[in-house]
Amino acid sequence: MTLVGRLVADAELKYLPNSGTPKITFSMAVDRRFKDKNGNKITDFIQCEQLGKHVENLVQYLVKGKPVYAVGELNIYNYKDENGCWKSITKVNVNA
C-alpha cells in the first residue's frame, strides 16, 4: 500500500519495552480522489508506525504539516475491551 498525504502532528519516537527497538508513530491526512455529493473533499486520517534503528534519525523530519509518502502494509488488530466489547485498531506498518 502506498499513501501520500500530510502529517497531522509531529511524529513520536518511543522504544519497545522488552527489546529497546526504536519505533515512530505518526498520523497522516490522505485526501480521497473523489468528493462527496456537496463537492467537499473527503480526508482519511491514517495511523502509521515504523520500527528500526534508522527511525531515530528520521523522526526529526516528520513534523506537522509536512508532506509525507509512506509504503507499507495494512494491519487490523482486534481485541476485547474491559467491558467485553470487540474493538479494532487499523494501522499501516511502514516499510519505506
Side-chain angles (χ1 to χ4, degrees), residues 43-67:
T43 303
D44 293 309
F45 296 91
I46 312 295
Q47 299 298 317
C48 302
E49 62 182 27
Q50 188 171 11
L51 299 171
K53 190 71 174 163
H54 64 286
V55 301
E56 291 175 308
N57 298 323
L58 183 62
V59 71
Q60 65 185 324
Y61 301 107
L62 298 175
V63 295
K64 182 179 179 177
K66 291 274 190 172

Side-chain angles (χ1 to χ4, degrees), residues 1-11 24-31 44-50 58-72 92 94-96:
M1 155 180 293
T2 302
L3 298 169
V4 178
R6 291 199 175 271
L7 291 172
V8 174
D10 294 352
I24 56 172
T25 58
F26 57 94
S27 181
M28 59 190 296
V30 178
D31 292 334
D44 293 309
F45 296 91
I46 312 295
Q47 299 298 317
C48 302
E49 62 182 27
Q50 188 171 11
L58 183 62
V59 71
Q60 65 185 324
Y61 301 107
L62 298 175
V63 295
K64 182 179 179 177
K66 291 274 190 172
V68 66
Y69 171 89
V71 177
V92 173
V94 177
N95 301 325

